[in-house]
């Protein structure tokens, strides 16, 4: 039986975060996440309800974000991207929490077609991807779901993107980097909201620690 993935959204846009900011990208948003971040802006991806399973065209043509998902094989996904006429050659697999499933076959299929691949994960699940896949770990510490950040995830990361609203988040990040022995991986601070206080804290902390700033450009320019 061919591998399939539960897809909440598939769309083309500009990557607004981290090292690939500005890169035209095809986003594949997987359904399902048990991590439970209070500020999560994709809560509609948390539960996988059989009652919300829909066909691909219904998932693609959503007028607004919702819990509907489609079960798609790798060939289904490749065909849909062709049918949609998407031109981007960079794929971002996000969620939800994409590392709840093995992403290796999906990464390899895209790489064979000449795409570069990036995943965005909370660092709370083992990461199964191709070797070339760019891994963004956005560690979610002490969330309701009770998951620990894994050393294997922190050490696999090509970049660490940490959400920031308070001084405690900065302390959490420093402890994480120390505990998981992460030394040279680029670190991005990302204000949790577009509020001035969070952004100012992120700017000051980036300067103080030689980290980089990631401001969710897509939210400032009003795209998805
Ligand atoms: S890990 Fe991501 S999708 Fe899951 S609750 Fe946290 S922010 Fe939301």
């Amino acid at each position: 039986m061919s591998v399939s993935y539960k897809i909440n959204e598939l769309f083309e846009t500009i990557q607004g975060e981290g090292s690939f900011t500005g890169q035209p990208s095809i986003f594949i948003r997987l359904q399902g996440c048990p991590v439970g971040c209070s500020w999560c802006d994709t809560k509609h991806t948390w539960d996988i309800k059989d009652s919300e399973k829909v066909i691909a065209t219904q998932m693609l043509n959503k007028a607004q974000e919702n819990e509907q998902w489609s079960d798609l094989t790798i060939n289904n996904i490749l065909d849909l991207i062709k049918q949609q006429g998407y031109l981007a050659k960079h794929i971002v697999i996000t969620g939800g929490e994409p590392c709840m499933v093995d992403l290796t076959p999906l990464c390899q299929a895209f790489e064979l077609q000449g795409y570069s691949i990036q995943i965005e994960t909370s660092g709370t699940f083992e990461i199964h991807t191709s070797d070339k896949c760019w891994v963004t770990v956005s560690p979610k510490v002490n969330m309701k779901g009770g998951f620990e950040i894994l050393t294997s995830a922190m050490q696999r990361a090509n970049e660490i993107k940490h959400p920031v609203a308070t001084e405690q988040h900065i302390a959490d990040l420093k402890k994480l980097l120390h505990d998981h022995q992460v030394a040279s991986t680029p670190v991005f601070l990302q204000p949790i909201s577009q509020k001035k206080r969070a952004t100012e804290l992120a700017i000051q902390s980036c300067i103080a620690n030689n980290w980089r700033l990631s401001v969710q450009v897509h939210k400032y320019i009003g795209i998805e």
Side-chain angles (χ1 to χ4, degrees):
M1 212 168 80
S2 59
V3 190
S4 66
Y5 295 89
K6 294 176 172 54
I7 312 287
N8 176 282
E9 277 186 294
L10 177 69
F11 58 96
E12 188 176 48
T13 186
I14 298 284
Q15 169 61 288
E17 304 179 0
S19 298
F20 285 93
T21 296
Q23 173 89 38
S25 305
I26 298 165
F27 274 69
I28 300 175
R29 188 181 302 291
L30 299 192
Q31 189 73 21
C33 181
V35 178
C37 308
S38 56
W39 68 81
C40 176
D41 57 5
T42 53
K43 287 183 176 162
H44 56 284
T45 65
W46 285 10
D47 297 325
I48 303 173
K49 296 177 184 162
D50 287 341
S51 58
E52 298 292 340
K53 184 176 174 182
V54 296
I55 59 170
T57 45
Q58 203 171 331
M59 179 274 294
L60 273 178
N61 296 321
K62 288 178 185 187
Q64 58 189 32
E65 293 173 345
N66 62 37
E67 292 185 292
Q68 292 175 345
W69 56 274
S70 278
D71 196 26
L72 301 180
T73 64
I74 292 171
N75 283 339
N76 291 153
I77 297 168
L78 290 169
D79 287 347
L80 276 182
I81 286 172
K82 266 192 208 133
Q83 282 166 25
Q84 293 296 104
Y86 293 157
L87 298 173
K89 296 302 280 180
H90 185 69
I91 304 283
V92 181
I93 305 172
T94 185
E97 173 43 72
C99 290
M100 291 170 72
V101 296
D102 183 357
L103 300 169
T104 313
L106 187 57
C107 292
Q108 288 172 341
F110 276 118
E111 282 166 1
L112 274 176
Q113 304 281 326
Y115 290 94
S116 55
I117 313 287
Q118 175 183 11
I119 66 157
E120 300 189 342
T121 174
S122 62
T124 54
F125 286 81
E126 292 292 344
I127 296 170
H128 298 288
T129 63
S130 63
D131 292 343
K132 278 195 282 183
C133 175
W134 179 274
V135 174
T136 302
V137 173
S138 183
K140 304 300 188 320
V141 181
N142 296 330
M143 295 301 150
K144 254 192 328 206
F147 291 87
E148 298 288 328
I149 305 298
L150 304 181
T151 298
S152 60
M154 290 294 283
Q155 293 191 348
R156 172 64 179 85
N158 296 100
E159 64 180 6
I160 291 166
K161 193 178 63 183
H162 202 261
V164 174
T166 66
E167 295 283 357
Q168 184 59 47
H169 296 137
I170 304 294
D172 289 343
L173 173 58
K174 286 184 174 170
K175 184 168 184 329
L176 271 180
L177 297 175
H178 176 266
D179 290 353
H180 299 287
Q181 298 174 13
V182 176
S184 55
T185 311
V187 172
F188 287 83
L189 289 189
Q190 185 160 291
I192 282 175
S193 66
Q194 282 66 58
K195 287 188 184 137
K196 203 173 166 200
R197 191 170 162 269
T199 305
E200 280 176 358
L201 173 63
I203 292 169
Q204 285 160 12
S205 304
C206 282
I207 292 170
N209 296 282
N210 207 20
W211 294 331
R212 304 183 196 179
L213 184 68
S214 174
V215 292
Q216 296 188 294
V217 165
H218 53 292
K219 294 195 177 172
Y220 284 89
I221 60 178
I223 60 172
E224 189 171 11

